Amino acid sequence: MKERMLSERIRKKRKEKGLNQLDLADILGLSEMTIRRWENGKVSPRIEEIEKTAEVLNTSVEYLMGFSDNDNMRIDNDHIQALKQVFEKVDELRSS
């Protein structure tokens, strides 16, 4: 459910910024297909990609991931590091 929210919120914030998928892809150094797959929920971005996307879209990681409804809230580096560890563990569990 949070993954769907992530997809929807990336799309929403991208459109609010007046960017199309290619624009966002170019800014992030990714392919348009990658952005399309994120927004369709086919692939989840890595935490580093979520961080960079949040920065580009002028929002927070917490908002994009559905942990907050405040799209202007920023989190500190300690929380980002904790999220990275959680996602790394999830990736390990998925691949084992």
Side-chain angles (χ1 to χ4, degrees), residues 9 21 28 30 34 49-50 67 69 76 81 86 94:
R9 287 185 171 187
Q21 290 176 336
L28 295 173
L30 301 168
T34 297
E49 294 167 330
I50 297 171
F67 296 125
D69 289 331
D76 61 37
Q81 294 305 319
V86 168
R94 282 183 179 166

Side-chain angles (χ1 to χ4, degrees), residues 67-84:
F67 296 125
S68 171
D69 289 331
N70 180 353
D71 70 348
N72 294 316
M73 191 171 94
R74 302 283 182 191
I75 59 175
D76 61 37
N77 195 43
D78 290 339
H79 286 101
I80 291 172
Q81 294 305 319
L83 284 172
K84 282 182 182 180

